[in-house]
Amino acid sequence: MNKTLAAVVLMLGTASLAHANAMPKGDAAAGAGKAAVCAGCHGMDGNSPAPTFPKIAGQNAKYIYKQLHNFKTGARNNPLMMGMAAPLSDQDMADLAAYFSDKKMSGGAANAELAKKGERLFRGGNKQVGLAPCAGCHGPAGEGNQYAAYPRLAGQYADYTKAQLIAFRAAGRDDNTDVKRIHDKDKPLELGPMQMIAAKLSDKDIDALASYIQGLRN
Ligand code: HEC
Ligand code: HEC
């Protein structure tokens, strides 16, 4: 891990901690009562019926909470989810996060050819372009890190993963709302960690990673 990245990880760790302290204690049973409006797109158990809607079953609670916040403030720009998050209180978000994180994410399948390359990048990164291994933050099996609010990736739909990596690469998805940044590719420190990482991925890398991730099970 190079120095810049290490500094960002440190900064991000602190930022995530601030989020964690502000997060109310979630009640999964209360969340079940609030989840019916989510079911049409994410499934009642968080395993979405369509690959453009992310699975949120088994996703870590802090990450779900943070994303709902980001949609509500508009830091993460998606018209469907901004509308859904607008009426939610902090307690609603924590309850929904507790409910969906208790479920189990369903597994998917990978394309064997793509997955080979995807696995290399995921576990080893790419020294030539200074790409850190995904496993360093998202876990060796893509299970995520619930303490740091790094999302679980394993089993996620390839279509969704691909769309997010492309959005990060275009600096279209802001991934750290605690630091004010200008989206300027010439100023790498003003980009979020996933924006910097995605900037180093080719279209082929993204296809390979998305397929590999869809096939990860744990
Ligand atoms: C009309 C469809 C729709 C409904 C209803 C809906 N969502 Fe979503 N949700 C989406 C889409 C589409 C995305 C992906 C947004 C993007 O691409 O940035 C998403 C993303 C999310 C994410 C981020 C997942 C990730 O991996 O980053 C969370 C968390 C989430 N939704 C929770 C909820 C909750 C909780 C509800 C109910 C209160 C809900 N959604 C209702 C369509 C919907
Ligand atoms: C330095 C730590 C770090 C590394 C290394 C890293 N990520 Fe991430 N990743 C994050 C964080 C933090 C987020 C959540 C951003 C946010 O809060 O919106 C994230 C989010 C994502 C998401 C969005 C998940 C979702 O549910 O919407 C995808 C996809 C992703 N990363 C893929 C990758 C891939 C593929 C690699 C390797 C090429 C990688 N990441 C390397 C920290 C990292």
Side-chain angles (χ1 to χ4, degrees):
M1 199 181 287
N2 69 31
K3 270 194 186 146
T4 313
L5 194 60
V8 169
V9 172
L10 251 173
M11 257 165 50
L12 192 76
T14 324
S16 303
L17 223 69
H19 269 286
N21 291 340
M23 180 175 160
K25 195 169 161 32
D27 176 341
K34 300 173 182 175
V37 290
C38 320
C41 298
H42 293 291
M44 197 54 213
D45 68 344
N47 286 301
S48 314
T52 45
F53 299 142
K55 298 179 192 174
I56 54 176
Q59 185 53 274
N60 72 67
K62 269 192 215 170
Y63 173 77
I64 293 179
Y65 181 81
K66 179 176 181 236
Q67 297 310 307
L68 290 173
H69 249 272
N70 286 1
F71 286 125
K72 184 168 178 172
T73 62
R76 184 169 168 187
N77 184 336
N78 177 271
L80 288 178
M81 275 312 297
M82 285 161 84
M84 293 306 303
L88 301 177
S89 68
D90 285 0
Q91 188 62 54
D92 292 338
M93 293 183 195
D95 292 346
L96 286 161
Y99 171 74
F100 284 113
S101 65
D102 266 0
K103 305 288 175 209
K104 193 168 166 42
M105 197 182 284
S106 60
N111 169 301
E113 210 37 55
L114 287 174
K116 251 189 259 165
K117 177 180 175 185
E119 178 169 20
R120 265 203 314 276
L121 288 167
F122 192 91
R123 291 172 176 267
N126 181 352
K127 288 209 176 71
Q128 274 168 347
V129 296
L131 176 71
C134 319
C137 291
H138 292 285
E143 69 276 23
N145 177 332
Q146 57 172 320
Y147 304 103
Y150 297 158
R152 174 197 173 86
L153 303 177
Q156 186 59 271
Y157 287 122
D159 285 1
Y160 171 77
T161 297
K162 186 175 165 178
Q164 297 307 308
L165 290 172
I166 290 170
F168 282 128
R169 186 171 65 182
R173 174 172 164 186
D174 202 343
D175 59 331
N176 188 350
T177 51
D178 294 325
V179 181
K180 192 173 166 5
R181 265 191 322 270
I182 306 156
H183 290 156
D184 181 346
K185 289 204 174 98
D186 297 330
K187 296 180 182 165
L189 263 179
E190 292 179 352
L191 294 174
M194 274 312 297
Q195 292 176 339
M196 285 194 277
I197 284 158
K200 294 176 174 160
L201 299 174
S202 68
D203 288 348
K204 284 190 172 153
D205 292 343
I206 289 179
D207 283 340
L209 282 161
S211 181
Y212 173 67
I213 284 168
Q214 179 168 276
L216 280 173
R217 286 159 194 251
N218 55 52

